[in-house]
Amino acid sequence: MANDNSPRGLRPVRHRNGAPYNGAVTRYYVPASDSTALYLGDPVIIAGSADADGVASVTRATAAGGAYILGVVVGVEPASRDSTTYRPASTAAYVFVADDPDLVFEIQEDAVGGALAAADVGLNADLVAGSGSTATGYSGFQLDTSTKATTNTLQLRILGFVQRANNEIGANAKVLVGINLHQSRNTTGI
């Protein structure tokens, strides 16, 4: 059975030590001057500023080798009962980010560079950006299979394949990854 093609960005599933993900997040600010929408599953980085109360600001991370990642958007603080599940572009908002450097995430591979194989576990790869969905609020980010290599400047480490009945090794497989270039482990300031 072929895997469904339904990218949702990065979704935290557990810690590297095997402990389950307990929903812990950090609240960050996104100013109205940020013209990029943020969706659930989008990777973000510290933007080098804060709101008037000192809450650090974030912006969407770049999908490319050498680009660091702080964490992944897992929620948006609602401004009203009619708020969307994502953060629209150019709208001030607070987002909740899973930013622990030891989290393991589920992500779909894009199969553009050929589907991942079992022998690719342990390699590194970059992200590839995709369009988020305003209907579901989910990210369009995927693992870029064309970048898989041993190179240490790639964003993600491939840890394995998601073990469930509707997922098999092949095109659009859901894989487990860790953030290889985590912003909190980069000792250079912003």
Side-chain angles (χ1 to χ4, degrees), residues 98-174:
D99 59 2
D100 186 321
D102 291 319
L103 282 173
V104 172
F105 298 89
E106 176 180 322
I107 189 169
Q108 178 177 297
E109 56 118 287
D110 70 352
V112 171
L116 292 177
D120 294 327
V121 172
L123 293 178
N124 296 329
D126 277 332
L127 290 164
V128 60
S131 298
S133 169
T134 57
T136 65
Y138 287 120
S139 171
F141 273 82
Q142 297 181 73
L143 182 142
D144 184 352
T145 59
S146 69
T147 64
K148 65 184 179 187
T150 58
T151 311
N152 66 354
T153 57
L154 297 171
Q155 295 173 302
L156 305 173
R157 167 75 47 93
I158 302 165
L159 302 173
F161 289 82
V162 173
Q163 300 296 301
R164 64 175 173 248
N166 65 348
N167 189 55
E168 60 185 36
I169 295 174
N172 303 316
K174 308 315 183 260

Side-chain angles (χ1 to χ4, degrees), residues 29-43:
Y29 176 67
V30 185
S33 59
D34 188 319
S35 61
T36 302
L38 284 176
Y39 296 89
L40 304 178
D42 274 353

